[in-house]
Amino acid sequence: MARRKPRKIRPKDKNAPRGYDSSWEYEIHQRLFSDWLHHYDTVKYSIPKKYEPDFVKVFDENKVILIEAKGRFWDYAEYSKYIHVRDALEDNAELVFFFQKPLAPMPQSKKRRDGTKRTHAEWAETNNFRWFDEDTLPEEWKNDSTQNNQ
């Protein structure tokens, strides 16, 4: 399987005065926009997106479970989107992860002092997601035929 090419990191302008993103930004603020406020306020924005969960089960009108089956996350953009998805869900819906390898390290995670890295399971728990794997999946979520074969 081909690996994704890592994103290029935006270079820092080491000569930029404190509070400015670049030397050029500082220069035009001084020369052209000196009577304008600089980095005065923030503007919240959202980009409308659609999410299609891997599996959905409606238990009753009061509970809908959306399952996202994950072998692994690829990058920050991928796993951060699920926080936005969770926040956009109705109160009766829950996004739950079904991990192939919950103890696999997260992409770009740094080694801890003990040599371990943050796992997919730890990420889910930190971000208030329930997660399961094949050994921990609740019986009532499995197909009837799966339960009979065990």
Side-chain angles (χ1 to χ4, degrees):
M1 176 165 41
R3 295 193 145 242
R4 290 186 185 183
K5 185 177 181 181
R7 289 185 178 171
K8 288 187 178 181
I9 297 174
R10 181 180 179 180
K12 301 278 185 197
D13 184 346
K14 296 177 183 173
N15 299 320
R18 186 179 188 99
Y20 290 88
D21 298 328
S22 67
S23 298
W24 181 72
E25 183 181 84
Y26 173 77
E27 188 255 314
I28 62 171
H29 186 223
Q30 300 305 307
R31 192 167 47 83
L32 300 174
F33 301 113
S34 61
D35 60 342
W36 290 56
L37 299 171
H38 177 258
H39 285 212
Y40 173 72
D41 202 359
T42 59
V43 176
K44 289 186 178 184
Y45 69 96
S46 61
I47 301 170
K49 296 278 189 176
K50 291 183 179 180
Y51 166 69
E52 184 178 8
D54 293 324
F55 305 97
V56 177
K57 184 160 186 173
V58 179
F59 284 91
D60 58 44
E61 292 179 11
N62 298 323
K63 192 66 177 172
V64 177
I65 301 291
L66 292 78
I67 298 287
E68 182 61 31
K70 276 286 161 209
R72 67 184 299 268
F73 289 120
W74 286 97
D75 58 22
Y76 174 81
E78 181 187 14
Y79 58 81
S80 64
K81 86 174 178 186
Y82 295 110
I83 295 168
H84 300 292
V85 170
R86 179 200 58 210
D87 294 346
L89 293 175
E90 299 289 330
D91 289 341
N92 69 328
E94 179 185 11
L95 178 60
V96 176
F97 285 92
F98 184 74
F99 290 126
Q100 182 181 25
K101 296 178 182 176
L103 301 180
M106 290 292 288
Q108 293 108 22
S109 61
K110 295 179 179 158
K111 280 189 179 180
R112 299 175 180 141
R113 289 181 189 203
D114 65 1
T116 63
K117 291 184 175 186
R118 184 180 205 189
T119 67
H120 286 67
E122 289 171 328
W123 174 88
E125 291 165 2
T126 299
N127 289 287
N128 298 315
F129 288 106
R130 287 196 298 163
W131 66 269
F132 299 99
D133 60 12
E134 288 198 46
D135 296 329
T136 61
L137 189 66
E139 288 298 322
E140 63 270 16
W141 290 12
K142 296 178 183 178
N143 290 336
D144 291 336
S145 60
T146 303
Q147 292 175 9
N148 294 337
N149 291 337
Q150 293 181 353

